[in-house]
Amino acid sequence: MPARGDDRSPGFAGEHAEMHVLLDRSGSIRTLDASLRQGVDEVLGELASDARVRVSTFASTLTTAAGMSVAEARVHVAEGVPAPGGTTRLYDAVGEFVGADARRLEEGGASTTIVIVTDGLDTASQVHDEASARAVVGRVRAAGGRVLFVGCNM
């Protein structure tokens, strides 16, 4: 338990010191955008205040934000992520972003909880397919990380 009296151990992330949130920003998420942002904010609110967070987004393009505090991540999700639009490159996002987390974990980096929030299936990946995405998720789990998929409107 953190010494500052915060009764949330590391909260939702469990024993993991970091959280990486991957947000689907494709066009089909448009009608769910407000509830998606609210849900992610609630998850971030469960973290201990000293946890580190990365927020990546995927649609037709993939983007990632540098590590930030929980408070900074909550503002970023509320105001800084791209507006929904484009296709869904889910497998490419998992291959690139979760693949980087897997490499970091395999090299002894801080344990990480990865939360992937999406409303559906991959429609446009160019590099990765379902098998390679599943393999990357397996590498993270084998190295002690945690990967959670949150389905919206599924």
Side-chain angles (χ1 to χ4, degrees), residues 40-75:
V40 171
D41 183 69
E42 290 173 11
V43 167
L44 293 173
E46 292 297 316
L47 295 174
S49 59
D50 60 349
R52 297 299 296 167
V53 181
R54 284 186 319 286
V55 178
S56 298
T57 61
F58 62 95
S60 302
T61 60
L62 311 176
T63 62
T64 193
M68 57 188 86
S69 71
V70 172
E72 291 167 331
R74 292 178 87 175
V75 169

Short mmCIF file of all heavy atoms in Angstrom, two decimals, residues 40-75:
data_model
loop_
_atom_site.label_atom_id
_atom_site.label_comp_id
_atom_site.label_asym_id
_atom_site.label_seq_id
_atom_site.Cartn_x
_atom_site.Cartn_y
_atom_site.Cartn_z
N VAL A 40 -12.69 4.52 -19.81
CA VAL A 40 -11.23 4.55 -19.64
C VAL A 40 -10.86 5.44 -18.47
O VAL A 40 -9.98 5.11 -17.67
CB VAL A 40 -10.53 4.98 -20.95
CG1 VAL A 40 -9.05 5.21 -20.73
CG2 VAL A 40 -10.75 3.92 -22.03
N ASP A 41 -11.54 6.58 -18.34
CA ASP A 41 -11.28 7.47 -17.20
C ASP A 41 -11.53 6.74 -15.88
O ASP A 41 -10.77 6.88 -14.93
CB ASP A 41 -12.14 8.73 -17.30
CG ASP A 41 -11.83 9.69 -16.17
OD1 ASP A 41 -10.72 10.26 -16.16
OD2 ASP A 41 -12.69 9.85 -15.28
N GLU A 42 -12.59 5.94 -15.82
CA GLU A 42 -12.88 5.19 -14.59
C GLU A 42 -11.78 4.17 -14.29
O GLU A 42 -11.38 4.00 -13.14
CB GLU A 42 -14.25 4.51 -14.71
CG GLU A 42 -15.40 5.49 -14.66
CD GLU A 42 -16.74 4.85 -14.95
OE1 GLU A 42 -16.84 3.60 -14.98
OE2 GLU A 42 -17.71 5.61 -15.15
N VAL A 43 -11.29 3.49 -15.32
CA VAL A 43 -10.19 2.54 -15.13
C VAL A 43 -8.96 3.27 -14.61
O VAL A 43 -8.31 2.85 -13.65
CB VAL A 43 -9.87 1.79 -16.44
CG1 VAL A 43 -8.55 1.04 -16.35
CG2 VAL A 43 -11.00 0.85 -16.80
N LEU A 44 -8.62 4.40 -15.24
CA LEU A 44 -7.45 5.17 -14.81
C LEU A 44 -7.63 5.67 -13.38
O LEU A 44 -6.67 5.74 -12.61
CB LEU A 44 -7.19 6.33 -15.76
CG LEU A 44 -6.77 5.94 -17.18
CD1 LEU A 44 -6.72 7.17 -18.07
CD2 LEU A 44 -5.44 5.20 -17.18
N GLY A 45 -8.85 5.99 -13.00
CA GLY A 45 -9.13 6.46 -11.66
C GLY A 45 -8.90 5.41 -10.59
O GLY A 45 -8.74 5.73 -9.42
N GLU A 46 -8.85 4.15 -10.98
CA GLU A 46 -8.59 3.06 -10.04
C GLU A 46 -7.10 2.84 -9.78
O GLU A 46 -6.74 2.10 -8.87
CB GLU A 46 -9.22 1.76 -10.54
CG GLU A 46 -10.73 1.77 -10.54
CD GLU A 46 -11.28 1.91 -9.13
OE1 GLU A 46 -10.78 1.23 -8.21
OE2 GLU A 46 -12.22 2.71 -8.94
N LEU A 47 -6.26 3.46 -10.59
CA LEU A 47 -4.82 3.28 -10.41
C LEU A 47 -4.30 4.10 -9.25
O LEU A 47 -4.81 5.17 -8.94
CB LEU A 47 -4.08 3.71 -11.68
CG LEU A 47 -4.33 2.89 -12.94
CD1 LEU A 47 -3.64 3.54 -14.12
CD2 LEU A 47 -3.86 1.47 -12.76
N ALA A 48 -3.24 3.62 -8.62
CA ALA A 48 -2.54 4.42 -7.62
C ALA A 48 -2.01 5.67 -8.32
O ALA A 48 -1.64 5.63 -9.50
CB ALA A 48 -1.40 3.63 -7.00
N SER A 49 -1.99 6.78 -7.63
CA SER A 49 -1.62 8.04 -8.26
C SER A 49 -0.19 8.07 -8.79
O SER A 49 0.14 8.86 -9.66
CB SER A 49 -1.84 9.21 -7.29
OG SER A 49 -1.06 9.02 -6.13
N ASP A 50 0.68 7.17 -8.31
CA ASP A 50 2.07 7.17 -8.78
C ASP A 50 2.31 6.18 -9.93
O ASP A 50 3.44 6.02 -10.38
CB ASP A 50 3.04 6.90 -7.63
CG ASP A 50 2.80 5.56 -6.96
OD1 ASP A 50 1.76 4.91 -7.23
OD2 ASP A 50 3.65 5.16 -6.14
N ALA A 51 1.25 5.54 -10.43
CA ALA A 51 1.41 4.63 -11.57
C ALA A 51 1.78 5.43 -12.82
O ALA A 51 1.48 6.62 -12.93
CB ALA A 51 0.11 3.86 -11.81
N ARG A 52 2.42 4.79 -13.78
CA ARG A 52 2.76 5.41 -15.06
C ARG A 52 1.84 4.83 -16.13
O ARG A 52 1.52 3.65 -16.11
CB ARG A 52 4.22 5.13 -15.43
CG ARG A 52 5.23 5.71 -14.46
CD ARG A 52 5.15 7.22 -14.33
NE ARG A 52 5.48 7.91 -15.57
CZ ARG A 52 5.24 9.19 -15.79
NH1 ARG A 52 4.67 9.94 -14.88
NH2 ARG A 52 5.57 9.74 -16.93
N VAL A 53 1.42 5.69 -17.06
CA VAL A 53 0.45 5.31 -18.09
C VAL A 53 0.94 5.75 -19.46
O VAL A 53 1.49 6.83 -19.61
CB VAL A 53 -0.93 5.97 -17.81
CG1 VAL A 53 -1.95 5.55 -18.86
CG2 VAL A 53 -1.42 5.63 -16.40
N ARG A 54 0.74 4.87 -20.46
CA ARG A 54 0.91 5.25 -21.85
C ARG A 54 -0.45 5.06 -22.53
O ARG A 54 -1.16 4.11 -22.23
CB ARG A 54 1.96 4.36 -22.53
CG ARG A 54 3.37 4.72 -22.18
CD ARG A 54 4.42 3.94 -22.96
NE ARG A 54 4.17 2.53 -23.17
CZ ARG A 54 4.27 1.58 -22.24
NH1 ARG A 54 4.60 1.88 -21.02
NH2 ARG A 54 4.05 0.31 -22.53
N VAL A 55 -0.79 5.97 -23.42
CA VAL A 55 -2.05 5.88 -24.16
C VAL A 55 -1.70 5.86 -25.64
O VAL A 55 -1.09 6.79 -26.15
CB VAL A 55 -2.99 7.06 -23.85
CG1 VAL A 55 -4.27 6.94 -24.67
CG2 VAL A 55 -3.30 7.12 -22.35
N SER A 56 -2.09 4.78 -26.31
CA SER A 56 -1.89 4.66 -27.76
C SER A 56 -3.26 4.60 -28.41
O SER A 56 -4.23 4.12 -27.81
CB SER A 56 -1.10 3.39 -28.09
OG SER A 56 0.17 3.42 -27.51
N THR A 57 -3.34 5.10 -29.63
CA THR A 57 -4.59 5.05 -30.36
C THR A 57 -4.38 4.37 -31.71
O THR A 57 -3.27 4.37 -32.25
CB THR A 57 -5.17 6.46 -30.59
OG1 THR A 57 -4.25 7.23 -31.36
CG2 THR A 57 -5.46 7.16 -29.26
N PHE A 58 -5.46 3.78 -32.22
CA PHE A 58 -5.37 3.14 -33.53
C PHE A 58 -6.67 3.33 -34.29
O PHE A 58 -7.75 3.35 -33.73
CB PHE A 58 -4.99 1.66 -33.42
CG PHE A 58 -5.98 0.80 -32.67
CD1 PHE A 58 -6.96 0.10 -33.35
CD2 PHE A 58 -5.92 0.70 -31.30
CE1 PHE A 58 -7.86 -0.70 -32.67
CE2 PHE A 58 -6.82 -0.10 -30.60
CZ PHE A 58 -7.80 -0.80 -31.29
N ALA A 59 -6.52 3.55 -35.55
CA ALA A 59 -7.58 3.61 -36.54
C ALA A 59 -6.85 3.33 -37.85
O ALA A 59 -6.12 2.34 -37.94
CB ALA A 59 -8.29 4.96 -36.52
N SER A 60 -6.94 4.23 -38.82
CA SER A 60 -6.15 4.08 -40.05
C SER A 60 -4.67 4.31 -39.77
O SER A 60 -3.81 3.80 -40.49
CB SER A 60 -6.63 5.08 -41.10
OG SER A 60 -7.99 4.87 -41.37
N THR A 61 -4.37 5.10 -38.73
CA THR A 61 -2.98 5.34 -38.31
C THR A 61 -2.83 4.94 -36.86
O THR A 61 -3.80 4.84 -36.11
CB THR A 61 -2.59 6.83 -38.47
OG1 THR A 61 -3.47 7.61 -37.66
CG2 THR A 61 -2.68 7.28 -39.91
N LEU A 62 -1.59 4.71 -36.45
CA LEU A 62 -1.28 4.33 -35.09
C LEU A 62 -0.50 5.47 -34.44
O LEU A 62 0.44 5.99 -35.05
CB LEU A 62 -0.41 3.06 -35.07
CG LEU A 62 -0.88 1.87 -35.93
CD1 LEU A 62 0.14 0.75 -35.87
CD2 LEU A 62 -2.25 1.39 -35.49
N THR A 63 -0.88 5.86 -33.23
CA THR A 63 -0.15 6.91 -32.51
C THR A 63 0.03 6.49 -31.06
O THR A 63 -0.77 5.74 -30.51
CB THR A 63 -0.91 8.26 -32.53
OG1 THR A 63 -2.15 8.10 -31.86
CG2 THR A 63 -1.13 8.76 -33.93
N THR A 64 1.09 6.98 -30.45
CA THR A 64 1.31 6.70 -29.04
C THR A 64 1.78 7.95 -28.32
O THR A 64 2.42 8.81 -28.93
CB THR A 64 2.30 5.54 -28.83
OG1 THR A 64 2.25 5.10 -27.48
CG2 THR A 64 3.71 5.92 -29.21
N ALA A 65 1.42 8.05 -27.07
CA ALA A 65 1.87 9.17 -26.24
C ALA A 65 2.94 8.65 -25.28
O ALA A 65 2.92 7.49 -24.88
CB ALA A 65 0.69 9.74 -25.45
N ALA A 66 3.85 9.52 -24.92
CA ALA A 66 4.91 9.16 -23.98
C ALA A 66 4.30 8.82 -22.63
O ALA A 66 3.15 9.16 -22.34
CB ALA A 66 5.89 10.32 -23.84
N GLY A 67 5.08 8.17 -21.78
CA GLY A 67 4.63 7.85 -20.44
C GLY A 67 4.19 9.11 -19.70
O GLY A 67 4.77 10.18 -19.87
N MET A 68 3.15 8.98 -18.91
CA MET A 68 2.61 10.13 -18.18
C MET A 68 2.04 9.65 -16.86
O MET A 68 1.85 8.46 -16.64
CB MET A 68 1.57 10.84 -19.02
CG MET A 68 0.41 9.98 -19.47
SD MET A 68 -0.71 10.77 -20.65
CE MET A 68 0.12 10.41 -22.19
N SER A 69 1.74 10.60 -16.00
CA SER A 69 1.11 10.29 -14.73
C SER A 69 -0.35 9.92 -14.98
O SER A 69 -0.90 10.16 -16.06
CB SER A 69 1.19 11.49 -13.79
OG SER A 69 0.34 12.52 -14.25
N VAL A 70 -0.99 9.37 -13.97
CA VAL A 70 -2.41 9.03 -14.08
C VAL A 70 -3.22 10.30 -14.36
O VAL A 70 -4.08 10.31 -15.24
CB VAL A 70 -2.90 8.34 -12.79
CG1 VAL A 70 -4.42 8.15 -12.83
CG2 VAL A 70 -2.20 6.99 -12.62
N ALA A 71 -2.94 11.38 -13.64
CA ALA A 71 -3.68 12.64 -13.85
C ALA A 71 -3.50 13.13 -15.29
O ALA A 71 -4.47 13.55 -15.94
CB ALA A 71 -3.21 13.70 -12.86
N GLU A 72 -2.28 13.09 -15.80
CA GLU A 72 -2.03 13.53 -17.18
C GLU A 72 -2.76 12.63 -18.17
O GLU A 72 -3.31 13.10 -19.18
CB GLU A 72 -0.53 13.53 -17.47
CG GLU A 72 0.24 14.59 -16.72
CD GLU A 72 1.75 14.36 -16.76
OE1 GLU A 72 2.20 13.20 -16.88
OE2 GLU A 72 2.47 15.37 -16.68
N ALA A 73 -2.77 11.32 -17.92
CA ALA A 73 -3.44 10.38 -18.83
C ALA A 73 -4.94 10.63 -18.86
O ALA A 73 -5.57 10.56 -19.92
CB ALA A 73 -3.15 8.94 -18.41
N ARG A 74 -5.52 10.95 -17.70
CA ARG A 74 -6.96 11.23 -17.66
C ARG A 74 -7.29 12.46 -18.50
O ARG A 74 -8.28 12.47 -19.25
CB ARG A 74 -7.42 11.40 -16.22
CG ARG A 74 -7.34 10.08 -15.44
CD ARG A 74 -7.76 10.23 -14.02
NE ARG A 74 -9.21 10.05 -13.94
CZ ARG A 74 -9.86 10.02 -12.78
NH1 ARG A 74 -9.24 10.17 -11.65
NH2 ARG A 74 -11.17 9.85 -12.79
N VAL A 75 -6.48 13.48 -18.44
CA VAL A 75 -6.69 14.68 -19.27
C VAL A 75 -6.49 14.33 -20.74
O VAL A 75 -7.27 14.75 -21.61
CB VAL A 75 -5.75 15.83 -18.83
CG1 VAL A 75 -5.78 16.98 -19.83
CG2 VAL A 75 -6.12 16.31 -17.43
#
